[in-house]
Amino acid sequence: EELGTDLEEANPSLEVTFNFAASSALAEQVNSGAPADVLATASAATMEQAAENLDEATTFASNTLVIVTPADNPGAVTGITDFTNADLRLAVCAVEVPCGAASEKVFAALGLTPAIDTYAENVTATLNLAVSGEVDASLVYATDALSAGDTVTTIVFPEAVEAVNNNLIAAVTEAPNPAAAQAFIDLVLSPEGTAVLEAAGFTIE
């Protein structure tokens, strides 16, 4: 959103509108002909779902899973192995979306059988379950945990390296405003864009 505002300020006649649905849902919308100029996804797999309707995609950042709990950490969660504890209320993203696929990959890599209570529709919903105290812990992206501030306790776990998600961006082939699409992509990939993304918790290669 910050970069969208910057682009609008540089182009007063331009209005930038965002849709922050799950990556799989966004890819489906592009395939259905939704009037989008740019698609950014949280994984290569979801970007590939819409590849036939996109120009070449570029990786612009990566994101890693972290554990979040309510601020007072009522379940005394300390690490990823706590997600096997059936006495805790636990949430992850649905496997159809990138954060859910990453969670499943981590569990598989570690040989863990998680005791999940809720598979939320996207990472925002998964985060909000921890913020509201409806669960003892959720698996979300580092960027979402950072945005939640002190409403959650964030636990970084080293095993998250097993499932780092690359974030990709591409112009929609039939973009209604191809010039603006390219301008936004250029801004995301610029030093200014990189600085904004790093401040938000993304990793830039």
Side-chain angles (χ1 to χ4, degrees):
E1 292 178 310
E2 182 178 340
L3 292 175
T5 298
D6 291 346
L7 191 63
E8 288 176 337
E9 290 176 350
N11 300 271
S13 63
L14 183 67
E15 180 181 353
V16 179
T17 303
F18 291 96
N19 179 348
F20 293 112
S23 295
S24 55
L26 294 175
E28 184 176 332
Q29 288 174 30
V30 167
N31 288 338
S32 298
D37 294 298
V38 175
L39 175 65
T41 65
S43 73
T46 44
M47 181 63 78
E48 183 61 29
Q49 291 173 17
E52 64 182 20
N53 294 303
L54 302 170
D55 294 344
E56 185 175 356
T58 302
T59 299
F60 66 91
S62 61
N63 217 340
T64 306
L65 293 174
V66 297
I67 300 165
V68 291
T69 73
D72 58 351
N73 193 2
V77 173
T78 60
I80 192 64
T81 57
D82 287 314
F83 276 76
T84 65
N85 186 345
D87 292 330
L88 296 175
R89 296 167 299 161
L90 304 164
V92 298
C93 300
V95 70
E96 294 81 10
V97 299
C99 59
S103 299
E104 188 174 65
K105 187 174 180 180
V106 167
F107 294 136
L110 300 177
L112 299 178
T113 301
I116 306 303
D117 297 285
T118 303
Y119 290 89
E121 64 180 351
N122 56 39
V123 69
T124 301
T126 309
L127 172 69
N128 287 338
L129 290 170
V131 171
S132 66
E134 293 178 61
V135 297
D136 295 304
S138 293
L139 272 183
V140 301
Y141 293 125
T143 52
D144 294 278
L146 182 63
S147 71
D150 59 9
T151 64
V152 295
T153 291
T154 299
I155 300 164
V156 176
F157 60 101
E159 300 90 346
V161 298
E162 299 290 346
V164 176
N165 271 359
N166 287 329
N167 301 93
L168 292 90
I169 192 166
V172 177
T173 304
E174 299 297 329
N177 192 338
Q182 190 58 53
F184 184 74
I185 292 171
D186 289 345
L187 180 58
V188 169
L189 299 176
S190 71
E192 177 189 348
T194 295
V196 169
L197 292 164
E198 287 182 328
F202 288 95
T203 300
I204 310 296
E205 295 296 333

